[in-house]
């Protein structure tokens, strides 16, 4: 930077990193006058605290089952506040009251109102114009040799059970483009999908060969102790099949385990209250 | 690959029961073994590891008719179904003449069924076979379970080439011999072509 000496008016150059982090002293090469350079007074204004962003309200209307828990967990990760309902009527009342941003509803519901009725009710209500509705198909993973439904009863999107996480997130982001794309699995690739599938298969094998232990473990909270050997064996196999950079990034095996425990807890809770 | 024993005038064929873990492959074999004439069968051999899992194979020779004056002896094998044991599965497919894919009807095992079906295709290919050309049948097992999903839906997801498909409850023998006979018939048809 160029500096003019206040005493002798000589102009000289000094190599100094800008902006200045603090006061810097330099000497004029002509008159040896000591000069002190100070950082410019800050013009930055401290921004006022941001008003708390209201969490988007999401409602899932479906029978209590692992798939509902899966959807709930996914939406929470995407920043939604999730409320669950088994039947249509209380859900509609709640949606009307809260103007929920998103309603995911099974086509078939117990009670007097089907999921398709609920979808039409929401879409016909001018107060709920901005509410997005996603229908859950009644068929199990009918993803092959099958055309999409022609009538969505007003709903914005349609999904089926076993929808991959990635696809589900894409649908939500299509409906809510402002939802952060980096909340979870920012670098999701085909490798990650394959790793996730492998983790599910390993876990599925562990479960089917150890049903009694699994149930006991979930009920009394000793799941990870009772199945320590099997989980460790499964993890070893997983690690031997999945490249380190994929498994390190995402902790896929652990996450699959956690999701399973959550779903199973919900399942057992349902059985015990039935 | 069929092995012909000229001295004993026997044609030996290998049929492999394939499918995910605990889908009922061993139950199928056990049922066939129990219901077969003692004179017509060999020893049922089960090799297991220290992990208590049915790991290697069950071996069961059965006499089922003649081809051009040669007796046919069928060797029935199962593979370990858990995703862990891919190397063993591949090994057991060596020399296979026919495959029976046993699928578990429980909803929770559909992903494992689909994976095992693809794994079969891949492992056959690795051994130089094409599933499209191998005598093959699909068995939808555990149809008695309350969590069984619709047979049509299973067929839609697992059917490979319009293969003969059977609903079964291997524990009670339902559909077990029907499935075996259909593949044995296909194997014999292939033999007669050669």
């Amino acid at each position: 930077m160029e500096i003019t000496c206040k005493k002798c008016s000589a102009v000289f150059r000094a190599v100094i990193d800008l902006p200045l982090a603090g006061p810097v002293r330099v000497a004029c090469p002509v008159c040896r006058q000591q000069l002190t350079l100070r950082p410019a007074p800050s013009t930055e204004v401290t921004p006022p605290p941001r008003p708390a962003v209201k969490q988007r309200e999401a409602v899932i209307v479906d029978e209590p089952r692992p798939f509902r828990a899966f959807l709930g967990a996914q939406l929470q990760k995407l920043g939604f506040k999730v409320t669950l309902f088994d039947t249509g009527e209380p859900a509609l009342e709640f949606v009307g009251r809260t103007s929920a941003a998103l309603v995911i509803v099974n086509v078939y519901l117990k009670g007097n109102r089907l999921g398709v009725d609920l979808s039409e009710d929401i879409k016909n209500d001018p107060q709920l114009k901005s509410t997005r509705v996603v229908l859950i198909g009644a068929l199990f993973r009918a993803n092959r040799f099958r055309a999409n439904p022609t009538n969505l009863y007003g709903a914005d999107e349609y999904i089926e059970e076993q929808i991959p996480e990635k696809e589900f997130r894409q649908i939500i982001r299509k409906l809510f483009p402002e939802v952060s794309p980096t909340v979870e699995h920012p670098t999701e690739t085909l490798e990650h999908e394959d790793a996730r599938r492998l983790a599910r298969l390993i876990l599925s094998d562990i479960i089917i060969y150890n049903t009694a232990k699994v149930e006991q473990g979930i009920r009394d909270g000793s799941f990870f102790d009772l199945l320590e050997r099997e989980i460790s064996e499964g993890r070893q196999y997983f690690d031997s099949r999945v490249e380190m950079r994929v498994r390190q990034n995402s902790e896929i095996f652990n996450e699959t385990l956690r999701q399973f425990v959550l779903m199973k807890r919900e399942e057992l809770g349902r059985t015990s209250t039935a | 690959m069929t092995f012909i024993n000229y001295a004993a005038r026997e044609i030996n064929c290998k049929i492999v029961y394939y499918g995910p873990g605990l889908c009922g492959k061993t139950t199928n074999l056990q049922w066939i073994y129990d219901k077969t004439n003692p004179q017509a069968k060999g020893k049922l051999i089960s090799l297991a590891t220290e992990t208590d899992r049915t790991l290697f194979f069950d071996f069961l020779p059965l006499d089922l008719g003649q081809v051009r004056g040669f007796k046919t002896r069928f060797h029935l094998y199962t593979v370990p179904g858990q995703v862990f044991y891919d190397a063993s599965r591949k090994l057991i497919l060596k020399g296979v003449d026919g495959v029976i894919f046993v699928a578990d009807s429980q909803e929770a095992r559909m992903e494992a069924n689909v994976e095992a079906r693809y794994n079969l295709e891949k492992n056959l290919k690795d051994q130089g076979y094409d599933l499209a050309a191998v005598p093959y049948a699909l068995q939808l097992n555990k149809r008695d379970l309350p969590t069984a999903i619709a047979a049509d839906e299973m067929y839609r997801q697992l059917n490979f080439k319009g293969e003969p498909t059977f609903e079964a409850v291997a524990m009670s023998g339902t559909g077990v011999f029907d499935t075996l006979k259909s593949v044995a018939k296909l194997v014999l048809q292939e033999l007669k072509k050669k």
Side-chain angles (χ1 to χ4, degrees):
Chain A
M1 68 183 290
E2 275 191 356
I3 300 167
T4 306
C5 176
K6 284 178 184 171
K7 191 177 172 192
C8 68
S9 301
V11 178
F12 59 93
R13 292 178 74 85
V15 181
I16 299 169
D17 288 338
L18 293 174
L20 295 176
V24 176
R25 296 186 75 184
V26 292
C28 171
V30 180
C31 66
R32 314 307 299 169
Q33 172 69 29
Q34 296 276 321
L35 304 166
T36 304
L37 307 176
R38 297 182 194 280
S42 172
T43 53
E44 211 173 289
V45 179
T46 313
R50 290 172 69 182
V53 177
K54 198 181 166 204
Q55 238 185 334
R56 277 187 205 88
E57 197 86 48
V59 172
I60 305 176
V61 198
D62 192 3
E63 62 182 291
R65 58 176 176 154
F67 184 56
R68 187 174 80 167
F70 162 80
L71 293 178
Q74 291 298 316
L75 289 174
Q76 277 170 351
K77 283 178 193 168
L78 291 171
F80 286 85
K81 183 182 171 201
V82 180
T83 309
L84 305 174
F85 289 95
D86 297 355
T87 56
E89 278 149 341
L92 185 61
E93 187 273 323
F94 181 84
V95 173
R97 190 157 40 83
T98 58
S99 299
L102 172 66
V103 177
I104 300 186
V105 57
N106 198 329
V107 170
Y108 293 107
L109 288 176
K110 286 176 191 166
N112 295 329
R113 299 209 69 70
L114 293 174
V116 290
D117 298 331
L118 188 63
S119 174
E120 285 181 335
D121 288 345
I122 292 169
K123 286 296 170 183
N124 291 333
D125 186 339
Q127 302 294 317
L128 299 174
K129 234 164 97 181
S130 59
T131 299
R132 298 277 172 260
V133 178
V134 176
L135 280 182
I136 304 171
L139 286 175
F140 172 81
R141 202 183 176 186
N143 56 349
R144 288 195 217 169
F145 318 117
R146 192 162 178 282
N148 279 328
T150 49
N151 184 357
L152 290 185
Y153 299 86
D156 301 280
E157 280 294 340
Y158 170 81
I159 59 171
E160 286 171 352
E161 197 175 337
Q162 295 294 308
I163 184 171
E165 292 173 26
K166 192 179 171 185
E167 211 176 295
F168 178 67
R169 288 195 299 272
Q170 279 170 352
I171 287 176
I172 297 304
R173 285 187 190 120
K174 194 172 135 196
L175 296 174
F176 300 93
E178 62 280 19
V179 165
S180 165
T182 55
V183 173
E184 196 202 4
H185 312 310
T187 54
E188 192 74 32
T189 62
L190 200 59
E191 284 170 311
H192 288 80
E193 280 298 332
D194 284 348
R196 232 171 268 287
R197 192 164 52 92
L198 179 64
R200 283 198 303 272
L201 289 166
I202 293 170
L203 190 59
S204 177
D205 275 349
I206 292 175
I207 293 157
I208 199 160
Y209 278 88
N210 301 281
T211 42
K213 270 192 203 176
V214 168
E215 291 214 352
Q216 191 197 330
I218 297 285
R219 278 186 205 285
D220 62 18
S222 61
F223 178 84
F224 291 95
D225 297 326
L226 284 177
L227 291 155
E228 193 184 355
R229 186 175 59 82
E230 289 81 359
I231 290 171
S232 151
E233 203 178 75
R235 193 192 310 276
Q236 271 176 28
Y237 179 72
F238 180 79
D239 289 353
S240 74
R241 289 268 308 266
V242 180
E243 278 189 46
M244 194 182 276
R245 64 187 165 77
V246 177
R247 60 187 143 92
Q248 266 187 349
N249 281 349
S250 52
E251 278 205 318
I252 289 170
F253 191 83
N254 294 338
E255 188 191 308
T256 309
L257 263 175
R258 279 195 296 271
Q259 276 183 7
F260 166 75
V261 172
L262 282 174
M263 285 179 187
K264 199 74 187 167
R265 262 189 206 137
E266 187 179 315
E267 246 182 35
L268 288 176
R270 181 175 26 144
T271 322
S272 61
T273 54
Chain B
M1 194 177 69
T2 314
F3 167 72
I4 302 175
N5 182 342
Y6 286 95
R9 296 190 68 76
E10 269 183 5
I11 298 174
N12 291 265
C13 307
K14 179 176 184 177
I15 293 178
V16 175
Y17 282 75
Y18 212 91
L22 284 194
C23 66
K25 300 177 292 291
T26 305
T27 313
N28 263 270
L29 241 69
Q30 189 69 57
W31 181 270
I32 295 163
Y33 188 80
D34 292 346
K35 300 292 170 189
T36 305
N37 179 352
Q39 276 79 50
K41 66 188 178 190
K43 271 186 186 171
L44 178 67
I45 300 166
S46 175
L47 298 183
T49 64
E50 73 257 13
T51 55
D52 291 339
R53 290 165 177 157
T54 306
L55 181 60
F56 221 68
F57 64 84
D58 303 326
F59 176 73
L60 170 67
L62 269 179
D63 290 328
L64 283 176
Q66 293 199 346
V67 176
R68 291 177 193 160
F70 281 72
K71 282 187 286 182
T72 47
R73 182 178 285 269
F74 285 82
H75 300 260
L76 307 187
Y77 288 73
T78 65
V79 295
Q82 297 103 300
V83 68
F84 292 11
Y85 302 115
D86 197 39
S88 307
R89 275 195 296 275
K90 199 179 287 185
L91 198 68
I92 292 165
L93 281 176
K94 210 169 179 176
V96 71
D97 292 296
V99 178
I100 291 170
F101 187 89
V102 182
D104 190 325
S105 295
Q106 295 177 89
E107 186 177 330
R109 292 296 277 171
M110 268 315 286
E111 193 167 34
N113 288 330
V114 172
E115 173 68 15
R117 227 280 284 121
Y118 282 114
N119 180 261
L120 166 65
E121 199 181 338
K122 181 189 169 292
N123 282 345
L124 277 174
K125 202 173 170 188
D126 289 350
Q127 295 284 13
Y129 301 98
D130 178 2
L131 182 56
V134 171
Y136 177 61
L138 171 64
Q139 183 186 85
L140 312 179
N141 193 25
K142 306 191 189 178
R143 297 306 303 160
D144 58 331
L145 292 183
T147 52
I149 67 168
D152 287 356
E153 183 54 30
M154 288 187 77
Y155 182 75
R156 193 157 58 191
Q157 292 193 47
L158 298 172
N159 156 60
F160 179 73
K161 53 178 179 180
E163 62 271 15
T165 303
F166 301 88
E167 292 191 38
V169 183
M171 293 282 276
S172 62
T174 308
V176 169
F177 273 104
D178 293 338
T179 317
L180 174 61
K181 276 178 195 163
S182 82
V183 164
K185 218 163 142 183
L186 291 170
V187 170
L188 292 178
Q189 277 171 10
E190 283 296 309
L191 275 178
K192 283 171 186 168
K193 280 187 209 165
K194 290 174 186 170

